[in-house]
Amino acid sequence: MAFSLTTQLDELILGCMDVAFDSLQEDYETGEYCSTVTPPSITFKDDIDWTVFPRDTQFRVRSLPNQIDAARRSVAHQFEYGEGPPYFGDAFLEREYRFSLIGLEAIALNDQMAAEYKVPKLDRGAWAPRTSFEVKIANVERIRAEAAELKNKRDWFKKRITIEELAKRHADSQAALDAATNEHRQKVHGLRR
């Protein structure tokens, strides 16, 4: 069972890598950016005897489909209510972030299968998905922190004006406008005489 699970985890790692490092492409008709890959999924057979694994491992493995579903929903929310077209920057960042986290979890579970059940690890050569996911997560967190810092520096993002203050400003503006209008009328009437 550990061998079978490891194979599925390897496929999930590859799928998460494809999503996290999606090159995206521009739709030339709309000018909007779109994905070039479909998010991965993982399903388990109904007849698996999960009791062969410790409870913590069972939970971590069996929660992967829910993590994928939560990631998809979070990304869909960003596409619906986030920055919007044409770049959908926050949605694609969320997508990269969430699937990098899932990829790291799959790697950790694969490492556990290797350590506890002697399942050989896939020889990835020079490719290091753990490092790639970690770098991607750090980059997304840095971008989000910089955006939050910029947002906090802008006074117009955080300044609140009461309705009373708006009414006072309106009254002051109206009084100034009335004074200027009267002055203009007096000048015009003075020129006519």
Side-chain angles (χ1 to χ4, degrees):
M1 206 166 132
F3 279 89
S4 174
L5 180 58
T6 298
T7 301
Q8 285 185 278
L9 291 171
D10 280 330
E11 289 174 9
L12 180 59
I13 292 165
L14 292 172
C16 287
M17 184 62 70
D18 288 343
V19 170
F21 292 88
D22 186 354
S23 60
L24 307 178
Q25 67 183 16
E26 183 180 1
D27 181 326
Y28 294 111
E29 290 180 19
T30 65
E32 296 178 3
Y33 280 76
C34 53
S35 175
T36 63
V37 296
T38 303
S41 63
I42 189 168
T43 55
F44 305 109
K45 296 179 184 174
D46 291 332
D47 62 349
I48 293 177
D49 179 14
W50 291 103
T51 59
V52 299
F53 295 117
R55 289 179 66 90
D56 177 62
T57 304
Q58 290 179 46
F59 173 77
R60 288 175 62 201
V61 171
R62 295 178 78 182
S63 71
L64 286 171
N66 293 338
Q67 289 179 43
I68 293 168
D69 183 57
R72 287 181 180 187
R73 289 173 187 264
S74 181
V75 171
H77 179 81
Q78 291 294 340
F79 273 109
E80 184 73 22
Y81 301 106
E83 293 172 4
Y87 304 111
F88 299 102
D90 54 349
F92 286 120
L93 278 179
E94 178 70 0
R95 192 170 186 257
E96 294 170 6
Y97 184 77
R98 290 296 201 119
F99 282 95
S100 292
L101 290 174
I102 294 167
L104 279 180
E105 177 67 1
I107 290 169
L109 285 164
N110 250 1
D111 290 347
Q112 184 178 346
M113 295 296 131
E116 294 178 10
Y117 303 102
K118 308 299 183 237
V119 176
K121 287 187 178 183
L122 180 65
D123 179 8
R124 300 185 194 284
W127 180 50
R130 179 189 316 276
T131 303
S132 298
F133 287 135
E134 289 170 347
V135 167
K136 178 61 75 175
I137 290 167
N139 284 341
V140 170
E141 289 173 348
R142 177 187 51 76
I143 290 167
R144 287 177 172 173
E146 288 172 359
E149 187 177 331
L150 279 175
K151 186 176 179 181
N152 288 334
K153 285 183 179 178
R154 295 183 183 160
D155 288 339
W156 56 275
F157 268 118
K158 55 186 175 180
K159 192 171 187 177
R160 301 276 185 215
I161 300 173
T162 65
I163 192 71
E164 292 81 13
E165 175 65 20
L166 285 174
K168 182 183 177 312
R169 289 181 183 186
H170 176 73
D172 292 346
S173 295
Q174 189 62 48
L177 180 62
D178 291 343
T181 302
N182 287 336
E183 185 179 323
H184 176 71
R185 284 183 186 150
Q186 288 174 357
K187 285 182 182 180
V188 169
H189 288 298
L191 290 176
R192 288 184 186 165
R193 291 183 189 178

